[in-house]
Amino acid sequence: QVQVEESGGGLVQAGDSVMLSCVVSGRRTFDKYAMGWFRQVPGKEREERECVATINYSGDTTYYTDYVKGRFTISRDNANNTVYLQKDNLKTEGKAVYYCGVGSFGGTTTAVYIDWGRGTQVNVSS
């Protein structure tokens, strides 16, 4: 049984930083899967989750959507089955539920992610 658990969200101020964490259990070959962070913004619950950042199995290749480039950093610790999203210079537009996904392969669409966490809410106030 696979479990994906995000943590680190909460109420923060614009301009602040936050670190999101995602721990995966039940995948003995965690180091063979790509990982991704996606978000669901308020009022868009019926739409597909937006890709924020992805990282390949070894951690040496990353992808960032344009609106977070230069501010966010995705990383992983395969020894502990964990992926992180360091978020700097937060903006009010970044208010969303952030989800962690386990990818069948690297990609920016939800279709290639086979396991999901329940999400962690990040509220950015001005």
Side-chain angles (χ1 to χ4, degrees):
Q1 183 175 1
V2 178
Q3 293 189 54
V4 182
E5 298 183 3
E6 304 98 334
S7 62
L11 177 62
V12 296
Q13 285 281 122
D16 285 352
S17 296
V18 68
M19 170 77 86
L20 304 184
S21 298
C22 172
V23 179
V24 179
S25 61
R27 289 283 182 184
R28 299 189 65 180
T29 56
F30 175 81
D31 60 354
K32 296 182 180 179
Y33 292 90
M35 297 291 295
W37 285 98
F38 289 70
R39 73 172 190 171
Q40 188 80 66
V41 303
K44 301 291 186 179
E45 291 81 2
R46 296 180 63 184
E47 299 182 10
E48 184 180 5
R49 296 170 182 173
E50 303 173 350
C51 183
V52 177
T54 68
I55 189 167
N56 77 330
Y57 72 96
S58 64
D60 61 356
T61 302
T62 58
Y63 162 85
Y64 299 94
T65 192
D66 286 343
Y67 67 86
V68 307
K69 286 182 178 178
R71 298 188 297 115
F72 290 8
T73 303
I74 187 171
S75 62
R76 65 190 297 163
D77 179 1
N78 285 344
N80 293 290
N81 287 13
T82 304
V83 64
Y84 303 95
L85 185 66
Q86 176 66 41
K87 304 170 63 177
D88 296 326
N89 191 22
L90 292 169
K91 301 182 182 298
T92 56
E93 297 93 325
K95 178 182 178 181
V97 178
Y98 287 79
Y99 296 89
C100 176
V102 180
S104 56
F105 57 89
T108 59
T109 60
T110 59
V112 301
Y113 289 83
I114 58 177
D115 299 307
W116 293 97
R118 299 189 69 180
T120 184
Q121 176 74 52
V122 178
N123 290 314
V124 186
S125 64
S126 59

